[in-house]
Amino acid sequence: MTKYSILDLVRIRENGNAKISLNNARNLARQAEQWGYTRFWMAEHHNMPGIASAATSVAIGHVAEGTEKIRVGAGGIMLPNHSPLVIAEQFGTLDALFPGRIDLGLGRAPGTDQLTLRALRRHPGSADNFPQDVLELQALLGPVQPDQRIRAVPGANSHVPLWILGSSTFGAAMAGEFGLPYAFASHFAPDYLYTALETYRSRFKPSEQQATPYCMMGINIIVASSNEEAEFLASTQRMSVTNLLRGDRGLSKPPIADINTYWSIDERVQAQRMLAMSVVGSPDTVHEKLEGILTQTRVNELMIVSDIYDHSLRLQSYEYIAQIMQALNEKKQVNEA
């Protein structure tokens, strides 16, 4: 069966603030575990006034404290921004507080701009050490070795599961070689989705953590009672992507009736390319389109972004999505019986 999970961008809305966004994330996760979602992830972004999850491990703790069973984690931590020891300690602490519920997705992108990289004290070439840093982090979260002088406390022996995140074949090949689950960022960079999935599956080597390949893909899904309402709600995300193209990282905007009054022709082309892996519509429309995507990609899990301005309507969208996924899984089960 295809699992389904949530990537919450923890958007800060106009007329809102970080506290409201973080509490909304916690509320969404609490509802999501009742709707059958597997995990709830947040991502590391810096110097972005419209996103509240920069201190990702702190945000994860806030959400995990308000839930009971859903897995909570990072999708992801940009490991070159940190020492592996610090991340091992942070996520070892989270695992000690919420045992068996913490995920650690790892990316090598900065998650910010070049000026902020300097403020983070990140070395320009640190991304080149990403594979070695992942292995070091994995060792720090694993069993203590004889004469090991540096330990993550908490963290050692926690075996917090690692994921490799990526939007190219580099991360796919690395995840396969290391025998780790792989998540492709097709919700904003879909160009190499199929190539990366094939690379990962063909390069996969079994490991202690993962015996067989396990693929996740990011996807934008917005569901409302009608196609027209869903398209209206989707304008919030389309404006956010347009703003990023303009170098504006501001607050999430309420939806507008005609997105073509907001973006230029060139911006529309770029934004639509970035958002190509999106499904927007009524429950029936989304059901049909999702079934085709799952057949084509054969992924094990969807990591779903439903970027809607109004929190109550976002909850409604995620509830619709859960119902659709349950129906698709039931149909698959019948077909395979």
Side-chain angles (χ1 to χ4, degrees), residues 282-331:
S282 67
D284 288 342
T285 297
V286 172
H287 184 285
E288 181 180 355
K289 292 182 178 179
L290 263 188
E291 187 171 21
I293 290 170
L294 292 174
T295 300
Q296 292 167 5
T297 61
R298 299 179 290 113
V299 293
N300 303 94
E301 187 167 346
L302 294 180
M303 180 57 71
I304 299 161
V305 178
S306 197
D307 188 0
I308 294 173
Y309 183 83
D310 182 273
H311 181 60
S312 63
L313 295 177
R314 187 168 66 131
L315 290 175
Q316 183 183 71
S317 178
Y318 275 116
E319 185 174 13
Y320 275 136
I321 294 166
Q323 292 167 356
I324 292 166
M325 290 302 302
Q326 289 162 11
L328 287 171
N329 279 332
E330 288 171 4
K331 181 177 180 180

Side-chain angles (χ1 to χ4, degrees), residues 6-10 21-35 37 40-41 63 66-67 70 304-306 311-319:
I6 291 174
L7 174 62
D8 190 352
L9 301 176
V10 199
S21 297
L22 289 163
N23 284 339
N24 282 345
R26 182 160 148 162
N27 176 256
L28 171 59
R30 187 181 298 120
Q31 298 297 320
E33 67 181 358
Q34 304 303 318
W35 296 331
Y37 285 87
F40 187 96
W41 281 4
V63 170
T67 52
I70 194 169
I304 299 161
V305 178
S306 197
H311 181 60
S312 63
L313 295 177
R314 187 168 66 131
L315 290 175
Q316 183 183 71
S317 178
Y318 275 116
E319 185 174 13

Side-chain angles (χ1 to χ4, degrees), residues 16 23 29 61 63 65 76 80 83 150 178 206 214 227 235 239 247 259 264 296-297 299 305-306 332:
N23 284 339
V63 170
E65 181 66 36
S83 77
I150 298 177
F178 287 4
Y214 192 95
N227 291 333
S235 64
M239 286 188 288
I259 186 63
S264 68
Q296 292 167 5
T297 61
V299 293
V305 178
S306 197
K332 183 178 179 181

